[in-house]
Amino acid sequence: MSLITKSINSALKQLVHRSLSTSASQIRIYEVGPRDGLQNESKFVPTDIKIELINKLAAAGIKDIESASFVSPKWVKQMADGVDVMKNVPRAPGVNYPVLIPNLKGYDTAKQCNIEEIAIFPAGSEGFSQKNLNCSVEEGLKRFKLVADQAVKDGVRVRGYISCVVGCPYDGPVHPKGIAKITEELLAMGCYEVSLGDTIGVGTAGSVRRMLREVLTVAKPEQLALHFHDTYGQALSNLLAGLEFDIKTVDSSISGLGGCPYARGASGNLATEDLVYFLYGLGLNTNLDLIKLIEAGRYISNFLGKPTESRVNRAMGDKFKNHQDIVTMASCEL
Ligand code: HMG
Ligand code: MG
């Protein structure tokens, strides 16, 4: 390696380490494949396949797996077997299996399934709120407060999502001040964390930074999570922008599955395999087994009968031999 290349590499590493004042184990990956990933699939995925996918993700070392939603089956058919999934999925020790809840009816179902963590999901824009929840943002927040109040009383952890944090398929650009206000309300309801969702993947590093600067006036980085969709190919650069603000929880979906049935144009979430490879490249070991993740991604893609959306999964082919080979390739350490 030439001297110039070495000094550029060293400067880059220092830059990354300065901006990411975090250590490997501090990056928490919150997997949304079995819920956000599958909810948009038109082919119904049988309960046993969903459970096997969740098991494979847990076996790869993922500690947070959003496994189902208890929404109206009239609205999202794919999630209609949520109760069967949650009653039958073996709960591995140390693994968190949250579910998405739209209202008190869904919360009552969660209670019957021994759920320890729920996620509530107001929208960041009026248009999306109407399409996704059939009510205004304000009414949605009122309903979610009822759910959060009950959950807090029962000792159930509550996570908040905000969808369409930079752009909405119906209203266009979304003002960061509105997102900060909803974040504040969710934290006041008792959410331990708010996941900021670029639901349709229109964000760029610039718009994401503007949104985060505003949100960080009301929340600490450790109260936030980043949730990007890769519709415009911006998910990883948006993530880097978010990590610079010291946010340490990242949502992703195995095989890049995903999309919301009520967000026209939304494509898959940031793929978990791509995220893990990216973090290796920054020297951030996630304690996850990328080979097992690749296998999990192939398992579900094969079932769905479509190619994986994960670029890393596709690029790997059968070339890799072991975990260390992948880490070496991603970090390009000589
Ligand atoms: P509505 O039609 O106004 O509600 O929908 P309703 O109370 O009139 O209920 C309609 C029917 O659904 C009734 O059945 C209810 O009983 C039933 P009927 O009497 O007609 O036979 N129902 C339920 N059934 C089971 N479980 C329930 C439930 N609630 C009502 N919990 C509602 C309002 C909120 C229910 C509906 O709009 C809904 O379910 N919306 C959810 C849509 C959804 O799941 N979207 C995808 C998730 S959001 C997302 O993906 C974005 C995110 O990932 C962030 C990102 O990616 O950026 C979070
Ligand atoms: Mg999503």
Side-chain angles (χ1 to χ4, degrees), residues 13 19 26 45 96 115 183 192 235 261 271 279 283 301:
K13 275 187 181 168
S19 57
Q26 288 172 307
V45 179
N96 181 28
I115 302 299
T183 303
Y192 76 90
L279 293 174
S301 302

mmCIF file of all heavy atoms in Angstrom, residues 13 19 26 45 96 115 183 192 235 261 271 279 283 301:
data_model
loop_
_atom_site.group_PDB
_atom_site.id
_atom_site.type_symbol
_atom_site.label_atom_id
_atom_site.label_comp_id
_atom_site.label_asym_id
_atom_site.label_seq_id
_atom_site.Cartn_x
_atom_site.Cartn_y
_atom_site.Cartn_z
ATOM 1 N N LYS A 13 -10.223 6.669 8.792
ATOM 2 C CA LYS A 13 -10.559 5.913 10.004
ATOM 3 C C LYS A 13 -10.749 6.852 11.191
ATOM 4 O O LYS A 13 -11.671 6.711 11.978
ATOM 5 C CB LYS A 13 -9.452 4.905 10.325
ATOM 6 C CG LYS A 13 -9.642 3.615 9.574
ATOM 7 C CD LYS A 13 -8.656 2.579 10.025
ATOM 8 C CE LYS A 13 -8.865 1.310 9.227
ATOM 9 N NZ LYS A 13 -7.778 0.373 9.406
ATOM 10 N N SER A 19 -16.437 10.761 14.444
ATOM 11 C CA SER A 19 -17.867 11.039 14.276
ATOM 12 C C SER A 19 -18.723 9.941 14.886
ATOM 13 O O SER A 19 -19.846 10.166 15.283
ATOM 14 C CB SER A 19 -18.208 11.241 12.809
ATOM 15 O OG SER A 19 -17.829 10.123 12.091
ATOM 16 N N GLN A 26 -22.134 -1.368 20.735
ATOM 17 C CA GLN A 26 -23.174 -0.376 21.015
ATOM 18 C C GLN A 26 -24.147 -0.188 19.860
ATOM 19 O O GLN A 26 -25.147 0.470 20.033
ATOM 20 C CB GLN A 26 -22.539 0.962 21.394
ATOM 21 C CG GLN A 26 -21.908 0.915 22.779
ATOM 22 C CD GLN A 26 -21.125 2.166 23.050
ATOM 23 O OE1 GLN A 26 -20.262 2.554 22.275
ATOM 24 N NE2 GLN A 26 -21.427 2.824 24.141
ATOM 25 N N VAL A 45 -47.669 -15.783 3.451
ATOM 26 C CA VAL A 45 -46.573 -16.592 3.986
ATOM 27 C C VAL A 45 -47.138 -17.391 5.156
ATOM 28 O O VAL A 45 -47.570 -16.807 6.160
ATOM 29 C CB VAL A 45 -45.414 -15.679 4.459
ATOM 30 C CG1 VAL A 45 -44.272 -16.508 5.032
ATOM 31 C CG2 VAL A 45 -44.933 -14.784 3.318
ATOM 32 N N ASN A 96 -35.766 -10.280 22.189
ATOM 33 C CA ASN A 96 -36.960 -9.471 22.344
ATOM 34 C C ASN A 96 -37.841 -9.665 21.099
ATOM 35 O O ASN A 96 -37.339 -9.586 19.976
ATOM 36 C CB ASN A 96 -36.474 -8.010 22.469
ATOM 37 C CG ASN A 96 -37.573 -7.013 22.651
ATOM 38 O OD1 ASN A 96 -38.626 -7.317 23.181
ATOM 39 N ND2 ASN A 96 -37.322 -5.774 22.206
ATOM 40 N N ILE A 115 -46.900 -10.674 25.393
ATOM 41 C CA ILE A 115 -45.955 -9.816 24.684
ATOM 42 C C ILE A 115 -45.295 -8.869 25.683
ATOM 43 O O ILE A 115 -45.972 -8.246 26.505
ATOM 44 C CB ILE A 115 -46.700 -8.998 23.592
ATOM 45 C CG1 ILE A 115 -47.410 -9.925 22.594
ATOM 46 C CG2 ILE A 115 -45.769 -8.023 22.885
ATOM 47 C CD1 ILE A 115 -46.528 -10.847 21.821
ATOM 48 N N THR A 183 -42.195 13.326 18.246
ATOM 49 C CA THR A 183 -41.184 12.597 19.040
ATOM 50 C C THR A 183 -41.359 12.928 20.516
ATOM 51 O O THR A 183 -41.376 12.031 21.378
ATOM 52 C CB THR A 183 -39.757 13.002 18.586
ATOM 53 O OG1 THR A 183 -39.625 12.738 17.195
ATOM 54 C CG2 THR A 183 -38.692 12.245 19.372
ATOM 55 N N TYR A 192 -39.725 4.172 25.211
ATOM 56 C CA TYR A 192 -38.308 4.188 25.601
ATOM 57 C C TYR A 192 -37.431 4.604 24.431
ATOM 58 O O TYR A 192 -36.269 4.977 24.597
ATOM 59 C CB TYR A 192 -37.884 2.803 26.149
ATOM 60 C CG TYR A 192 -37.679 1.749 25.077
ATOM 61 C CD1 TYR A 192 -36.435 1.562 24.479
ATOM 62 C CD2 TYR A 192 -38.739 0.948 24.638
ATOM 63 C CE1 TYR A 192 -36.241 0.604 23.494
ATOM 64 C CE2 TYR A 192 -38.556 -0.005 23.661
ATOM 65 C CZ TYR A 192 -37.310 -0.173 23.089
ATOM 66 O OH TYR A 192 -37.137 -1.109 22.092
ATOM 67 N N ALA A 235 -30.335 4.528 1.507
ATOM 68 C CA ALA A 235 -30.429 4.072 2.903
ATOM 69 C C ALA A 235 -29.084 4.090 3.631
ATOM 70 O O ALA A 235 -29.007 4.562 4.773
ATOM 71 C CB ALA A 235 -31.051 2.680 2.954
ATOM 72 N N PRO A 261 -48.184 -1.233 2.660
ATOM 73 C CA PRO A 261 -49.259 -1.276 1.677
ATOM 74 C C PRO A 261 -49.922 0.085 1.467
ATOM 75 O O PRO A 261 -50.569 0.309 0.451
ATOM 76 C CB PRO A 261 -50.255 -2.280 2.269
ATOM 77 C CG PRO A 261 -49.685 -2.791 3.543
ATOM 78 C CD PRO A 261 -48.370 -2.136 3.793
ATOM 79 N N ALA A 271 -31.441 -3.498 3.949
ATOM 80 C CA ALA A 271 -31.273 -4.949 4.171
ATOM 81 C C ALA A 271 -30.322 -5.198 5.341
ATOM 82 O O ALA A 271 -29.263 -4.572 5.434
ATOM 83 C CB ALA A 271 -30.713 -5.603 2.911
ATOM 84 N N LEU A 279 -21.326 -2.105 8.607
ATOM 85 C CA LEU A 279 -20.784 -1.859 9.952
ATOM 86 C C LEU A 279 -19.421 -2.527 10.114
ATOM 87 O O LEU A 279 -18.513 -1.954 10.724
ATOM 88 C CB LEU A 279 -21.770 -2.325 11.036
ATOM 89 C CG LEU A 279 -23.078 -1.519 11.109
ATOM 90 C CD1 LEU A 279 -24.043 -2.146 12.113
ATOM 91 C CD2 LEU A 279 -22.835 -0.057 11.474
ATOM 92 N N GLY A 283 -15.426 -1.066 11.022
ATOM 93 C CA GLY A 283 -14.768 -1.661 12.192
ATOM 94 C C GLY A 283 -15.731 -1.883 13.335
ATOM 95 O O GLY A 283 -15.339 -2.019 14.485
ATOM 96 N N SER A 301 -36.377 -15.449 0.651
ATOM 97 C CA SER A 301 -36.476 -15.063 -0.773
ATOM 98 C C SER A 301 -36.872 -16.262 -1.611
ATOM 99 O O SER A 301 -37.687 -16.148 -2.532
ATOM 100 C CB SER A 301 -35.150 -14.527 -1.294
ATOM 101 O OG SER A 301 -34.759 -13.446 -0.527
#
